[in-house]
């Protein structure tokens, strides 16, 4: 079976939890792994990962900045 497996790029929690799942799936299936941000940099050490752009979250004083997040992602958009 062919599977596309995408991992979110903000932080590394999704990537670290996905690593054992990917390890299992890759044994039995044709797997295409895609990831952005920190997830890409973490998983590329173990698997062939295609880098994609992603939306990020802007923080200010240990809190999410809604306005900062909006402008960050507008700047990243094509």
């Amino acid at each position: 079976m062919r599977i596309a497996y995408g991992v979110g790029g903000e932080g590394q929690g999704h990537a670290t939890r996905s690593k054992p799942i990917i390890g299992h799936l890759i044994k039995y299936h044709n797997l295409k792994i895609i990831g952005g941000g920190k997830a890409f940099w973490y998983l590329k050490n173990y698997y062939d990962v295609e880098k994609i752009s992603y939306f990020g979250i802007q923080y200010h004083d240990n809190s999410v900045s809604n306005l900062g997040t909006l402008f960050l992602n507008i700047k990243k958009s094509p």
Side-chain angles (χ1 to χ4, degrees), residues 5 9-10 13 19 38 41 51-52:
Y5 195 100
E10 191 66 31
K19 185 178 173 283
K38 292 179 182 177
W41 295 109
K51 187 176 184 181
I52 59 171

Side-chain angles (χ1 to χ4, degrees), residues 59-70:
Y59 297 94
H60 181 71
D61 292 331
N62 292 322
S63 295
V64 173
S65 168
N66 293 330
L67 194 57
T69 297
L70 175 67

Side-chain angles (χ1 to χ4, degrees), residues 9-73:
E10 191 66 31
Q12 290 186 355
H14 290 95
T16 56
R17 288 188 292 276
S18 293
K19 185 178 173 283
I21 295 168
I22 292 169
H24 176 76
L25 289 173
I26 210 162
K27 292 177 188 175
Y28 305 103
H29 305 287
N30 182 2
L31 201 62
K32 176 71 171 184
I33 307 164
I34 55 177
K38 292 179 182 177
F40 168 78
W41 295 109
Y42 174 75
L43 291 172
K44 80 175 191 117
N45 294 316
Y46 305 99
Y47 306 108
D48 181 25
V49 182
E50 184 174 331
K51 187 176 184 181
I52 59 171
S53 59
Y54 68 100
F55 289 115
I57 299 174
Q58 184 72 42
Y59 297 94
H60 181 71
D61 292 331
N62 292 322
S63 295
V64 173
S65 168
N66 293 330
L67 194 57
T69 297
L70 175 67
F71 288 123
L72 172 71
N73 291 304

